[in-house]
Amino acid sequence: WVGRFDEAAARKEFPQGAVRTIDRVVVRGHVAWARFSHRMGKRVVVDNALFAKVHEKWQAVNLTYVVTTQ
């Protein structure tokens, strides 16, 4: 997960210098939810992702995000 964003930053497709954290993960059987954050100075992007396990492989089925400032 972090590597994907770091590669995008290296290609200048995503802001460099972001601090990324996985805030929470909840798994119930074949469904999972995760919240992760990208902090860039006072700007914070918070992602909420929904995953489903299909054929023994986790797949993202929905992603929403909000941008805030602190």
Side-chain angles (χ1 to χ4, degrees), residues 16-65:
Q16 295 185 2
V19 176
R20 296 175 195 86
T21 57
I22 298 172
D23 302 323
R24 188 168 181 201
V25 176
V26 178
V27 179
R28 297 288 185 265
H30 286 82
V31 177
W33 168 83
R35 181 178 63 215
F36 41 99
S37 303
H38 314 269
R39 289 172 174 45
M40 297 155 282
K42 292 184 177 185
R43 184 174 177 226
V44 181
V45 179
V46 179
D47 294 325
N48 287 287
L50 180 64
F51 298 90
K53 197 171 195 180
V54 180
H55 303 295
E56 299 305 314
K57 183 176 178 183
W58 287 105
Q59 296 183 359
V61 295
N62 187 290
L63 177 67
T64 58
Y65 68 93

